[in-house]
Amino acid sequence: MRFIFWWGILIFGIVVVLYFSWIKSPRFEYNQWVPSFLAKWADKHENDNVRTAVPLVFLGLVAGGYLIYRKLGKNKWLICWLGLNALVVIAELGQLFLPLRSPDFKDVFWGAFGAGIGLGVMFIIKPLVLKIK
């Protein structure tokens, strides 16, 4: 049952990343699913690339939680980070086929950075979580 929980959250996060990467307009103010305060922040020009990191931080946290739960080794953490990077690359490449969107290498960087932050936080607190468990 816990396996389904972790994978359900991870798949939901992947769908969210792909959805927001592949909607017609990059402006979040036109999307009904995004709260107005978040859309206002995300639509500012200076946050254009940084906003890519936000969902990847959460995906990194979830993936890290799963890795801790399963007590997987360091190589799996690296593979997970590479997998999250692949997700960002796929999301950006999909924008090649959308008229109002264009892929951006900075988005890939910020997505990788966000995934690294999420996984890094979980890796740092791993001993504490395992001690509690």
Side-chain angles (χ1 to χ4, degrees):
M1 190 65 170
R2 290 182 181 166
F3 178 81
I4 293 171
F5 169 77
W6 287 110
W7 278 99
I9 292 175
L10 191 61
I11 289 170
F12 176 76
I14 291 168
V15 168
V16 167
V17 167
L18 293 176
Y19 170 76
F20 284 110
S21 295
W22 294 346
I23 54 177
K24 284 191 249 181
S25 173
R27 307 273 307 160
F28 281 7
E29 69 182 329
Y30 303 128
N31 192 294
Q32 66 182 2
W33 302 105
V34 180
S36 60
F37 76 92
L38 188 58
K40 186 180 279 190
W41 175 83
D43 287 341
K44 286 183 180 177
H45 180 69
E46 60 267 16
N47 299 330
D48 200 32
N49 297 114
V50 176
R51 71 183 187 182
T52 305
V54 175
L56 272 297
V57 169
F58 290 109
L59 279 175
L61 291 170
V62 170
Y66 178 75
L67 293 168
I68 292 171
Y69 167 72
R70 293 290 308 253
K71 297 179 181 166
L72 298 173
K74 291 179 184 175
N75 63 335
K76 299 294 184 188
W77 288 77
L78 177 62
I79 290 169
C80 190
W81 181 71
L82 292 172
L84 292 172
N85 289 337
L87 170 65
V88 178
V89 169
I90 290 167
E92 290 299 308
L93 288 175
Q95 292 179 3
L96 285 170
F97 305 101
L98 300 169
L100 296 177
R101 305 297 299 262
S102 60
D104 189 347
F105 180 73
K106 290 177 189 171
D107 284 341
V108 174
F109 168 79
W110 280 106
F113 183 75
I117 293 293
L119 283 167
V121 165
M122 294 307 284
F123 191 79
I124 289 169
I125 68 168
K126 178 181 170 184
L128 178 65
V129 172
L130 291 175
K131 193 178 274 188
I132 292 171
K133 205 173 173 187

